[in-house]
Amino acid sequence: AQRVTQPEKLLSVFKGAPVELKCNYSYSGSPELFWYVQYSRQRLQLLLRHISRESIKGFTADLNKGETSFHLKKPFAQEEDSAMYYCALSGGSQGNLIFGKGTKLSVKP
Amino acid sequence: GAVVSQHPSRVICKSGTSVKIECRSLDFQATTMFWYRQFPKQSLMLMATSNEGSKATYEQGVEKDKFLINHASLTLSTLTVTSAHPEDSSFYICSAIDRGVTKNIQYFGAGTRLSVL
């Protein structure tokens, strides 16, 4: 079964601390993995995708096929990173996404 | 970047009435659009996938006759909640893919909050 698991509902860190938002997936083929972010009162937007292998706003995520993980990391969290983060998997031919339940990141001053 | 407009942002209706929600891609042609439902403090649940000019594909458990989806053009998809009841109250979000340029990236609308009295 296709599934995305984000084990943490809430992650609270202090400004400047490293942050890692966990994401594990279950998929039989070769999925495409994404991280979407939703800032307060804003729409959901793409943060990064695994095939791009880029760093956005200091965040990186590496696809680990052996561990079926796609954890999101940032070495030094900023207050403006506070948001809801969703890990998502795309495996269908139409590009439909399967979302995890999301992790709320709170960065305290 | 690609912009998806969703209208209305909020609607309040009486039980038994129908409500139409529009989703437009403003600066690209959306061959595929998606409709999600989000309950409070929960993740997005895919309701259906719609392709321009063809019937929508509904996820298991989603009533086709309840949630009518029309994708008549490459820039517009509509979701009609027919004979709405209080249990249909939710946050509905659409998204669109521009397959020609950025394959598989979904661009999201701002959502519609439906309250059925």
Side-chain angles (χ1 to χ4, degrees):
Chain A
Q2 302 174 21
R3 187 169 58 244
V4 176
T5 303
Q6 292 180 251
E8 303 135 331
K9 271 190 174 181
L10 173 65
L11 185 61
S12 186
V13 301
F14 285 102
K15 176 183 174 182
V19 62
E20 180 179 54
L21 287 83
K22 291 183 167 47
C23 172
N24 287 90
Y25 66 90
S26 174
Y27 187 74
S28 57
S30 295
E32 188 170 0
L33 275 296
F34 302 81
W35 276 99
Y36 279 83
V37 60
Q38 188 170 28
Y39 300 102
S40 179
R41 299 183 184 279
Q42 294 188 28
R43 69 186 67 195
L44 204 62
Q45 58 185 285
L46 177 69
L47 180 61
L48 52 80
R49 54 200 298 219
H50 88 268
I51 65 172
S52 299
R53 292 179 172 271
E54 54 191 348
S55 174
I56 304 293
K57 298 185 179 183
F59 285 97
T60 59
D62 291 318
L63 180 62
N64 186 321
K65 292 185 178 180
E67 296 182 358
T68 59
S69 68
F70 188 55
H71 303 327
L72 183 68
K73 300 176 184 179
K74 184 169 183 176
F76 307 103
Q78 302 299 315
E79 290 180 66
E80 55 265 30
D81 296 328
S82 296
M84 195 74 182
Y85 291 81
Y86 293 95
C87 181
L89 174 159
S90 175
S93 58
Q94 297 193 87
N96 51 300
L97 290 172
I98 298 168
F99 283 90
K101 293 189 175 183
T103 298
K104 184 175 181 179
L105 174 64
S106 175
V107 181
K108 299 178 180 179
Chain B
V3 179
V4 173
S5 173
Q6 190 171 340
H7 179 79
S9 59
R10 183 169 185 131
V11 57
I12 301 172
C13 69
K14 292 182 179 180
S15 184
T17 61
S18 294
V19 174
K20 180 185 283 188
I21 303 169
E22 292 187 349
C23 182
R24 294 180 184 273
S25 56
L26 297 185
D27 49 3
F28 66 99
Q29 293 185 328
T31 51
T32 306
M33 287 185 168
F34 303 89
W35 287 96
Y36 296 87
R37 185 171 179 175
Q38 186 176 33
F39 291 100
K41 298 187 178 181
Q42 294 191 32
S43 187
L44 287 77
M45 182 192 77
L46 179 65
M47 297 175 65
T49 302
S50 78
N51 291 294
E52 184 266 337
S54 62
K55 289 183 179 179
T57 303
Y58 289 82
E59 295 300 301
Q60 193 173 10
V62 178
E63 298 176 59
K64 300 179 183 180
D65 296 332
K66 176 72 163 176
F67 300 100
L68 299 179
I69 291 171
N70 183 280
H71 192 162
S73 78
L74 285 172
T75 60
L76 174 64
S77 176
T78 60
L79 168 68
T80 302
V81 183
T82 62
S83 187
H85 290 285
E87 57 265 30
D88 299 324
S89 298
S90 191
F91 194 56
Y92 294 88
I93 304 171
C94 74
S95 70
I97 284 181
D98 176 2
R99 288 185 169 273
V101 179
T102 46
K103 292 183 178 181
N104 285 355
I105 293 179
Q106 291 190 23
Y107 299 95
F108 286 82
T112 297
R113 185 161 302 284
L114 170 64
S115 299
V116 185
L117 304 178

